[in-house]
């Protein structure tokens, strides 16, 4: 006859205590890490004051109607260079097809997920109705291209476009 010996260790109160403490330490540690990463990666609210943003909304609607009435055609070409810089070429025409000159265009590349990664576009007039802009250190991926034209002391044109840069 052979006898079987059970070599498994018995579960003791000390083993249960150590296992439980280790388990909850890992859970709490992961929760703290995730909370820290969430706070560090989300920059905050979209606007500083929702009340003042709601007051300005009516002016934005009026400016959009005025922009549509002008009938301007603005062609935009944006390309990311291998060195990480982005080049913007704008071609601005009025409703009759004549070039728009003397405008002050400004632009910005905005990351949809992180406002801290936004990059300004420095836009200058190149030829009659043609404008060029550059942005430094632009990472590949999805961006929102915001173009604005000012003239006569007010904003005359505003455009938001989602672009993907390689």
């Amino acid at each position: 006859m052979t006898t079987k010996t059970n070599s498994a260790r018995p579960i003791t109160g000390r083993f249960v205590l150590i296992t439980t403490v280790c388990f909850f330490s890992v859970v709490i540690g992961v929760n703290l890490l995730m909370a820290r990463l969430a706070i560090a990666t989300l920059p905050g609210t979209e606007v500083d004051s929702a009340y003042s943003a709601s007051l300005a909304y009516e002016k934005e609607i009026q400016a959009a109607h005025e922009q549509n009435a002008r009938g301007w055609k603005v062609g935009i070409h944006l390309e990311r260079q291998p060195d990480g810089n982005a080049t913007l070429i704008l071609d601005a025409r009025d409703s009759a097809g004549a070039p728009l000159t003397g405008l002050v265009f400004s632009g910005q590349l905005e990351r949809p997920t992180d406002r801290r990664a936004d990059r300004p576009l420095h836009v200058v007039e190149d030829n009659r109705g043609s404008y060029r802009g550059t942005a430094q250190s632009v990472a590949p991926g999805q961006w929102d291209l915001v173009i604005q034209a000012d003239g006569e002391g007010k904003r005359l044109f505003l455009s938001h476009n989602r672009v993907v840069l390689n």
Side-chain angles (χ1 to χ4, degrees):
M1 296 235 179
T2 60
T3 60
K4 263 187 169 173
T5 58
N6 191 358
S7 64
R9 291 180 21 195
I11 296 177
T12 63
R14 182 178 179 189
F15 174 76
V16 171
L17 176 66
I18 291 172
T19 305
T20 305
V21 168
C22 289
F23 171 77
F24 282 108
S25 296
V26 168
V27 169
I28 291 170
V30 168
N31 284 339
L32 290 174
L33 175 69
M34 297 300 273
R36 183 181 182 287
L37 291 175
I39 291 169
T41 58
L42 294 177
T45 59
E46 184 69 26
V47 294
D48 294 330
S49 169
Y51 177 71
S52 48
S54 68
L55 292 178
Y57 187 65
E58 187 65 37
K59 291 179 184 176
E60 291 294 321
I61 292 173
Q62 182 63 32
H65 287 301
E66 291 172 4
Q67 178 177 325
N68 284 341
R70 284 186 202 95
W72 288 1
K73 307 281 189 274
V74 178
I76 299 170
H77 177 74
L78 181 66
E79 186 175 337
R80 183 177 177 275
Q81 306 300 324
D83 62 359
N85 296 335
T87 304
L88 172 74
I89 299 172
L90 287 167
D91 184 44
R93 306 280 173 178
D94 65 9
S95 59
L100 294 168
T101 60
L103 296 174
V104 178
F105 273 95
S106 60
Q108 181 151 321
L109 284 169
E110 298 175 350
R111 268 291 197 207
T113 55
D114 188 2
R115 141 186 334 184
R116 295 171 295 179
D118 293 355
R119 298 285 183 256
L121 282 160
H122 305 285
V123 183
V124 295
E125 190 167 1
D126 194 22
N127 288 334
R128 290 181 38 112
S130 180
Y131 298 82
R132 278 184 137 347
T134 58
Q136 307 294 321
S137 303
V138 176
Q142 216 172 60
W143 293 86
D144 288 334
L145 174 62
V146 180
I147 301 293
Q148 180 174 325
D150 298 322
E152 306 166 5
K154 64 178 183 173
R155 184 182 84 203
L156 299 174
F157 180 80
L158 179 65
S159 172
H160 290 266
N161 298 293
R162 177 70 49 101
V163 296
V164 177
L165 299 175
N166 295 325

